[in-house]
Amino acid sequence: MTLKLGLPKGSLQDATVQLFARAGFNVYLSTRSYYPTIDDPEIECLLIRAQEMARYVADGVLDAGLTGQDWIAEHAAGTSNGSAVVPVADLVYAKQSFGRVRWVLAVPENSAYQKPQDLAGKTIATELVRATEAYFQRLGVPVNVEFSWGATEVKPPVLADAIVEVTETGSSLRANRLRIIDTLMESNTQLIANGRALADDWKRTKIDNIALLLKAAIEAQGRVGLMLNVKREDLDGILSLLPALQRPTVSSLSDAEWVAVNTIIEERTVRELIPRLKAARAQGIVEYPLNKIVL
């Protein structure tokens, strides 16, 4: 038996492959194939645009897949079987950073539009058509929502009055002289599955194990392990310097006067912390990388 897993093609593709590598799965892509190979004989991969992933998972073409909450919402807004997609795990990573993206309503920076209601009767360009229509319907604002095939930022004010576009940093919007007036939703990648796959014990276990390892890889991002030796008489001073997920692990050594301390810290704090630990009489300080943290 194999699990049919959809991987997002496009902007999330490289970040997803890197995440799987940290989780222990090596995915090999070919420029000529939409069928990546993976070093797990129990998984069959297929590259699918994130925009279409929810539909193929819901229809049972795929057992599970990775796509954004935005495209799950777009699928649910346009079909009666949106509930056939079951979120399994939140995976907070994006193409530029390990974070969330936002779908925002943006207008030309020198326009008079200050709030969504000011756009009544206007044209909105976006790739997220159904979710945008649902947003304006909730506000009771009549607008014309047009599908955008790309380069959406360049359309106002000639081809559209405003746009709904995804952004991580807002730099592209600012570069095109656009101003954000509202946020429709925040989105991050999710591992989703359909009910039939989750009803199968083997597939459910496989999906849960993949989710566990992917989340562990995300938890480890930006963190390192630190171990050191210290005399018992200096232990309290060392522990006062060490932040940790819970508490540092303290272990006895063969010399009863010494203990070993092991902890996990944010990598950005290491360059300031190590000199302070050394000054507090720690010895044998070792920093090591982390691939996964299972909470």
Side-chain angles (χ1 to χ4, degrees), residues 64-284:
L66 284 80
T67 190
Q69 290 173 306
D70 43 7
W71 300 115
I72 297 171
E74 181 76 352
H75 169 75
T79 181
S80 60
N81 69 336
S83 61
V85 174
V86 181
V88 177
D90 266 323
L91 305 173
V92 184
Y93 73 104
K95 61 184 179 182
Q96 295 181 23
S97 64
F98 275 65
R100 299 177 185 272
V101 299
R102 293 185 300 151
W103 282 89
V104 298
L105 177 61
V107 297
E109 62 182 7
N110 60 354
S111 70
Y113 308 126
Q114 298 297 323
K115 56 186 184 299
Q117 288 77 5
D118 296 337
L119 292 166
K122 303 301 183 181
T123 297
I124 316 297
T126 184
E127 191 177 356
L128 199 73
V129 172
R130 296 185 184 115
T132 298
E133 289 174 338
Y135 162 80
F136 279 103
Q137 286 170 5
R138 288 194 300 272
L139 295 177
V141 179
V143 295
N144 174 38
V145 180
E146 291 186 349
F147 178 76
S148 174
W149 290 96
T152 308
E153 297 97 328
V154 305
K155 294 189 174 180
V158 177
L159 302 177
D161 299 292
I163 65 170
V164 169
E165 181 66 337
V166 65
T167 183
E168 280 192 62
T169 65
S171 59
S172 180
L173 295 173
R174 290 190 295 271
N176 286 279
R177 300 181 180 180
L178 296 173
R179 171 169 46 88
I180 297 171
I181 62 172
D182 200 11
T183 298
L184 278 71
M185 70 173 73
E186 289 190 349
S187 177
N188 58 264
T189 307
Q190 288 193 332
L191 176 63
I192 59 173
N194 60 53
R196 292 181 295 280
L198 295 176
D200 182 288
D201 289 341
W202 183 89
K203 289 184 177 180
R204 177 63 188 248
T205 299
K206 190 68 176 178
I207 292 168
D208 286 344
N209 288 345
I210 292 171
L212 173 70
L213 294 171
L214 293 176
K215 289 191 291 185
I218 291 173
E219 286 293 334
Q221 179 72 11
R223 292 173 173 163
V224 295
L226 201 67
M227 57 185 179
L228 55 91
N229 297 332
V230 62
K231 284 189 173 181
R232 289 186 183 275
E233 62 191 52
D234 299 319
L235 180 60
D236 288 343
I238 292 294
L239 293 180
S240 69
L241 298 175
L242 292 177
L245 289 177
Q246 302 294 328
R247 291 284 296 169
T249 300
V250 179
S251 306
S252 298
L253 297 176
S254 57
D255 186 334
E257 295 184 359
W258 289 79
V259 294
V261 178
N262 205 325
T263 191
I264 295 171
I265 61 175
E266 298 292 331
E267 186 175 16
R268 65 177 182 272
T269 68
V270 170
R271 66 184 184 186
E272 296 179 358
L273 181 59
I274 287 181
R276 295 172 65 192
L277 292 171
K278 186 65 176 175
R281 303 176 64 183
Q283 296 186 18

